Amino acid sequence: MPCIDPADKERGSHTYSLDTKDYAFFLKKFFDRWSADFLGGREVSVRYFDNLVRMVMGMTPEMCSLLGSCQCQFVFEADGSVYPCDFYVTDEWKLGNIQQTDLAGLYESKTDKRFISSSLSTASICRDCKWKFLCRGGCRRDRENTPANGLQRNYYCEAFSEFLEYAYPRLVDVARYVRRYHAQQSRALTDNR
């Protein structure tokens, strides 16, 4: 998960802000090592890469930023206050309090429904993007470039596009490796019966 700037500040305006070029460089170099290890039989789980492989295999990602819309993650504060996501622990998105409302009630709240439906909007540039099937707009927090502008193109769009262009052939290779491995395991279980 990339380091993000405070919600009320312009993205990229701090000395610690993550530059999209630096993020693309990091993703590519880290992926080089991960895929070499993985294809060499030394599997290490990296959530983002694992989810991309799942998606290449036609499976649903478990990572919320790759689902295409927000889902309720339930963040509980010490006083019992509940919020839909750790990036949105704000008065505007408070779902209620667990001491007064059960989980089903929190999940069915108007605020939760509004939170999820407001995350469905993506920038027009995303509609024709060749990587939409893997990126899906990314995390909503990264699509709020400024609080006043609402949802826009993901701040890290260029980094993700550059990375996916670079990594996609090897993501397919890893997906094939995983399929072969699972097929071998399935055959082994069947043969042992």
Side-chain angles (χ1 to χ4, degrees):
M1 183 181 303
C3 177
I4 59 173
D5 295 328
D8 60 342
K9 304 291 183 198
E10 183 179 340
R11 298 297 292 262
S13 62
H14 300 279
T15 57
Y16 61 80
S17 297
L18 181 59
D19 177 78
T20 58
K21 296 257 183 250
D22 291 340
Y23 191 38
F25 177 82
F26 165 78
L27 287 172
K28 291 190 298 187
K29 293 301 178 188
F30 191 33
F31 182 77
D32 286 344
R33 291 179 176 223
W34 177 84
S35 63
D37 282 351
F38 196 98
L39 294 170
R42 296 173 306 278
E43 298 175 30
V44 174
S45 178
V46 174
R47 189 176 185 207
Y48 177 60
F49 301 153
D50 294 346
N51 273 262
L52 290 174
V53 170
R54 288 177 57 89
M55 294 168 77
V56 168
M57 294 174 66
M59 300 167 70
T60 302
E62 58 77 28
M63 221 170 128
C64 60
S65 64
L66 296 174
L67 287 171
S69 68
C70 292
Q71 304 299 311
C72 187
Q73 303 295 317
F74 286 140
V75 174
F76 295 86
E77 291 293 296
D79 68 354
S81 296
V82 182
Y83 302 86
C85 170
D86 53 354
F87 290 136
Y88 295 93
V89 179
T90 63
D91 291 342
E92 176 186 6
W93 298 112
K94 182 176 178 182
L95 302 176
N97 191 295
I98 192 63
Q99 296 176 51
Q100 291 123 15
T101 310
D102 64 11
L103 290 175
L106 293 167
Y107 183 73
E108 293 298 322
S109 73
K110 289 180 184 177
T111 302
D112 185 58
K113 300 289 184 216
R114 183 170 53 91
F115 178 75
I116 291 170
S117 67
S118 67
S119 74
L120 297 172
S121 171
T122 56
S124 59
I125 194 170
C126 296
R127 291 186 197 114
D128 297 323
C129 177
K130 75 185 268 185
W131 301 115
K132 183 180 180 186
F133 76 105
L134 289 176
C135 173
R136 299 184 182 172
C139 178
R140 169 201 180 121
R141 177 64 174 81
D142 294 327
R143 291 185 283 140
E144 290 178 336
N145 297 338
T146 61
N149 291 339
L151 299 183
Q152 310 210 353
R153 182 176 83 148
N154 189 300
Y155 182 75
Y156 298 109
C157 177
E158 292 173 14
F160 290 132
S161 294
E162 184 178 329
F163 165 70
L164 291 169
E165 191 72 42
Y166 177 82
Y168 186 71
R170 279 183 286 158
L171 286 168
V172 171
D173 290 343
V174 172
R176 285 186 189 122
Y177 175 91
V178 170
R179 281 191 188 104
R180 279 194 308 270
Y181 175 81
H182 286 296
Q184 290 169 350
Q185 293 299 318
S186 180
R187 280 193 299 276
L189 283 174
T190 303
D191 292 345
N192 288 332
R193 287 187 182 164

